[in-house]
Structures are given as C-alpha cells and as structure tokens.
Amino acid sequence: MNRKIRVTVNGTARAVEVPTYRTLLDCLRNDLGLTGSKEGCGVGVCGACTVLLDGKMISSCIALAVSADGHEVTTVEGLAGDERLHPVQQAFIDAGGFQCGICTPGQVVSAKALLDANPNPSDAEIREWMLGNLCRCTGYYKIIESIRAAAQRSRA
Amino acid sequence: MRAFEYAAPRTLDEALAVLREHGDEARVIAGGTALVTMMRQRLVSPGYLVSLRDIRGLDRIEADNGGIRIGALATHRDVETSPLVRERLPVLAETFRRVASVRIRNMATVGGALAHADPNQDPPVTLIALGARVEICGTDGRRALPVEEFFRDYYESALEPGEVVIGVVVPQLAPASGAAYVKFLPRTADDYATVAVAATVSVDPDGERCRAARIALGSVGVTPIRARGAEGLLAGQRFGAELLRGAGEAVKGAVDPLSDHRGSAAYKREMAGVMVGRALTRAWDAALVSARGTR
C-alpha cells in the first residue's frame, strides 16, 4: 500500500514513494533526510514537528505524507539563504531564544509563519501564536524577545 | 500505525461511492488531527481512508439567509479569521479561536470536529446555543438536523455508515439578542475546557425582561448538552443575581460530568453553575447593547 507523492520541499520538487501510513514528519526525516523537524509528543501538542504546508504551519507528526501530495512544504532547513540565516534564526541566536535546540526548529518555523502573517505583532499576539510551541528549557521570555527582535530587524 | 488503503477523490459523489463500497472498514479523513492521533495510538485502525481534502468548494464560508453556512472542510482558523463570521456572529469566531493552538486550527476542519463527537470540544457548545444545523450527505441523499441532536454518546454521532458531514448552517441572532462563550480553563490555554458554556439571550424591546434564552454546555457529560430547564427559568424574567443563581442550580442538576485530570465531577458540576451565570451575564449585556441599537 505504497503511494508515489510529489511534494515541493523548500522550493525543490521531490517525488517519493511512501507507505500510506507514513506521517509527513517521518517522510521528511527518513525519506528526504531533513532531520531538522523533531518528534516530541507525537500528538500535535508540543510543536517540535512544526512545518509549513502551503505557507501555513501544521503539526507534521499528525499529518499523513500522502495528504501533502501536490503541495508545498517548508521546513527549518528551507529558511536560511546560501550565506545568511533567516532573520528569525539569527535573532534566536542573538537574543538567546536558542537553548538546547530540540524545540528550536519548530519555534523558528512558527515564528516565521507569524511574521509572514503579521510583521509587527504585539507581545500578546506573539504569545497567542506561539502557545502551541513548548520549550522544556522554559526559555519563553527569550523566545518572545527573539521574535520581537526579528520583527524589528525585518522592518529596518 | 497499521497499513491502510487511501483514496483522495475529487468529488463528493466519488467519496460516497468509495465509502459505500468499503463499509465498516472505511473512515473519512479531513484535517486528520483527531483521526491520525487516534490511529497512531492504535485506538482505531481503519483499513481504508477516504480523504475529503481534494473535494473543491467544500470549504466555503458563505452568507445564508442572514446567517452563515460553513462548509465541512473549512478549518477552525478559517472560521476564526473569516470577516463574514466576525461581522455576523463574532461569538462563533471567538469560540473557534479558543480551540487548541493556531497550528491545530490550521489543520482541524469544522466537519471533522463534529464527526469526531468529542464532548470536550468548544465549537459544538456555541453551535448548539446558536441553533445551528448540521448538514449530512449519504448515497441516499441529504439531511440536516440540529447540532444538539447530532451527538449521541462519547465519540458517537448520528452519522449513519456511509454518511459524511458536509457543512453547518448557523442562523443569525434574533433582534435585541446577545451571545457569549465562556471557557473555564484553569490549565494551559491550548487545553480542552474544564467546563464550557455558551448562552444566547433575547430581551424585550425595552430591555427590561428576557424574552428567550438558550444555554449549552461542553465537558460536562458524554455529549455537549443543552440546558432546557435553565432556559425555561429565564423567559419573562428580569436580570438579577437571584435569577442567575436559579439558572446555575438548574444546570448543576442537569449535567453529568466525568472526573478526570481537569477536575472532579463534583468540582465541574459546581463550576458549571458558576460559568452559566457568567455566560448569561455577558450574553445579556450584549443583548442590551443590541436592543439599544434597534430602538
């Protein structure tokens, strides 16, 4: 019960044959070698597996790979340019939002989606948007600071 | 997860035909937030999944007779951010905003959530208070029924084998009416409610007395419930602490919550009474504003 799917991943068209039960997360990590996205809770709560599907953030651990057939996926690997980190990535380093690293790919992808939708979010809007991304280092203040910094830098 | 066949038909008719062909083995999937999670936990292991995702037009949110019709494939986020919903029924946008996280709201669909029939969800509570009807389609045709009659038991709905939810129709609020959704959420913001209450209140043109009210609750039993006993106490009455206390007591007698990590049954019962008072107060205030606007 395999199916061939075509997915544009980080701007590159990919064709891959997957079992129907393959989650999008496992497809990205195991079939496509993109191990940035992590599995935390496995039930859509913690946010470590956050990717963008057609520009909207989703939990890839509870999405079937077959459901991404014909769509565009953006993972943390797709954010940086050749020589430069994405402003959100740079801000996470500069402002200390990047701690142990497990939740970071999901945090960064969610923050990018936020700034794409709302380039100038208030702290309350940052909190509401990011509440589904858990950080067990509990570095939430630094994460909010990082997103604020990325927003400022993007405007400059 | 166990292996399964997967079909993603492009039309509703095709989807219904596949469902009919595969009977009990088949399950419908839309956003997948509930079903894939249950499959990963091996709570369900369907042999055939029929995805509705590729059926065009099933995600529309449109004006309907002064009210709103929401297609089954509209996501929670679509409803939350819809200008039409925000303008006509802000309480509905506010209710969908309280579901889980933005990420889950991007995935979970309105029809999928109804079909899942989890009594702890937010949207059914407000949909019941607003008098919404769920639209169902099977190979034998279409039918619609009030959302409050759709839920039968824990994770069980009135859907017959081979039927799918295709939309929900939400009528406009009556003149001089207000609505409110109150979610009691002592843990994290993305959690299910410990107790949830939605209320609508219609007042006389002079704003003195309640003309009619509807009250619905979630997380207080095996299905979301409508509290008709408490509604009956409100008609013809003036607003006041005594009236709210009476409505709260009636609700406490009508709910049958389960003890879990969100609270004991006794605690939820007590909080149901408190939250009904708060929801009615907010709905009544909104009704007074609405009445003033129409005078």
Side-chain angles (χ1 to χ4, degrees):
Chain A
M1 304 187 199
N2 286 5
R3 279 177 85 96
K4 194 158 199 179
I5 60 169
R6 289 168 199 286
V7 188
T8 301
V9 182
N10 298 329
T12 304
R14 308 288 296 261
V16 56
E17 191 170 312
V18 293
T20 51
Y21 56 82
R22 180 84 87 227
T23 63
L24 179 58
L25 177 63
D26 285 345
C27 174
L28 291 167
R29 290 178 57 86
N30 302 338
D31 299 319
L32 299 174
L34 298 169
T35 53
S37 310
K38 304 289 188 280
E39 177 153 318
C41 68
V43 290
V45 173
C46 80
C49 69
T50 305
V51 301
L52 307 184
L53 182 69
D54 297 334
K56 291 180 177 172
M57 60 178 183
I58 64 159
S59 294
S60 62
C61 74
I62 53 170
L64 296 175
V66 288
S67 72
D69 189 15
H71 295 271
E72 284 185 27
V73 175
T74 305
T75 70
V76 69
E77 289 91 342
L79 300 192
D82 286 340
E83 301 284 325
R84 278 170 68 112
L85 292 176
H86 187 277
V88 170
Q89 292 172 308
Q90 191 60 52
F92 265 65
I93 293 169
D94 296 343
F98 183 8
Q99 295 195 32
C100 86
I102 288 289
C103 74
T104 306
Q107 302 277 3
V108 166
V109 171
S110 295
K112 175 202 161 20
L114 168 61
L115 298 184
D116 286 349
N118 179 2
N120 190 19
S122 66
D123 277 11
E125 287 168 332
I126 295 174
R127 284 166 187 270
E128 183 177 344
W129 187 277
M130 300 297 296
L131 70 82
N133 286 85
L134 306 185
C135 168
R136 291 295 76 159
C137 304
T138 66
Y140 293 111
Y141 285 91
K142 296 288 188 187
I143 289 169
I144 291 168
E145 250 176 65
S146 303
I147 297 170
R148 213 188 285 134
Q152 271 162 11
R153 206 169 295 167
S154 301
R155 282 198 301 278
Chain B
M1 262 186 283
R2 293 241 295 270
F4 53 84
E5 296 278 351
Y6 180 86
R10 295 191 174 262
T11 68
L12 188 57
D13 285 343
E14 252 182 281
L16 293 171
V18 178
L19 277 175
R20 179 176 218 160
E21 185 185 340
H22 293 277
D24 285 350
E25 268 292 276
R27 290 291 291 263
V28 173
I29 184 165
T33 49
L35 188 58
V36 175
T37 303
M38 290 196 301
M39 288 167 63
R40 290 199 64 173
Q41 296 171 336
R42 303 229 168 168
L43 293 171
V44 291
S45 301
Y48 208 108
L49 280 195
V50 185
S51 169
L52 304 184
R53 297 172 74 96
D54 292 344
I55 301 175
R56 271 173 199 274
L58 212 49
D59 63 347
R60 267 200 287 272
I61 299 175
E62 56 205 352
D64 181 280
N65 252 337
I68 298 170
R69 183 184 180 280
I70 302 168
L73 278 191
T75 65
H76 286 46
R77 183 75 176 160
D78 289 338
V79 181
E80 171 195 358
T81 58
S82 157
L84 181 69
V85 176
R86 286 184 170 183
E87 184 216 317
R88 292 198 177 180
L89 289 167
V91 68
L92 201 56
E94 179 57 28
T95 302
F96 277 87
R97 191 171 80 100
R98 304 301 302 277
V99 177
S101 59
V102 175
R103 194 178 60 243
I104 295 303
R105 297 199 293 276
N106 277 339
M107 302 175 76
T109 65
V110 171
L114 287 169
H116 184 44
D118 180 334
N120 298 314
Q121 294 180 115
D122 304 274
V125 183
T126 299
L127 290 172
I128 290 172
L130 291 172
R133 295 170 70 80
V134 55
E135 295 180 332
I136 296 165
C137 191
T139 35
D140 298 332
R142 295 185 178 209
R143 65 190 178 110
L145 75 169
V147 173
E148 66 193 88
E149 292 171 23
F150 180 72
F151 302 106
R152 295 292 159 84
D153 205 341
Y154 209 57
Y155 297 108
E156 275 185 40
S157 74
L159 280 181
E160 298 289 342
E163 285 187 325
V164 299
V165 173
I166 56 169
V168 59
V169 177
V170 194
Q172 67 184 137
L173 277 176
S177 299
Y181 178 67
V182 175
K183 182 176 187 177
F184 179 50
L185 191 65
R187 292 165 24 111
T188 60
D190 58 349
D191 199 8
Y192 288 112
T194 294
V195 171
V197 183
T200 63
V201 170
S202 302
V203 294
D204 283 342
D206 61 6
E208 285 291 304
R209 289 170 190 272
C210 173
R211 198 159 43 75
R214 285 174 70 104
I215 301 168
L217 294 101
S219 302
V220 294
V222 296
T223 68
I225 64 160
R226 185 169 168 200
R228 287 177 189 271
E231 290 174 4
L233 298 176
L234 292 160
Q237 301 299 310
R238 285 173 199 276
F239 184 82
E242 201 51 47
L243 183 66
L244 296 184
R245 231 185 331 270
E249 287 303 316
V251 162
K252 280 156 67 176
V255 299
D256 188 16
L258 303 167
S259 292
D260 61 19
H261 59 285
R262 294 188 185 88
S264 67
Y267 176 63
K268 290 182 186 180
R269 185 183 302 279
E270 200 59 36
M271 293 314 291
V274 173
M275 292 300 143
V276 161
R278 292 186 190 173
L280 284 171
T281 302
R282 278 179 44 194
W284 205 305
D285 282 347
L288 290 178
V289 171
S290 164
R292 258 178 246 129
T294 56
R295 274 207 293 279

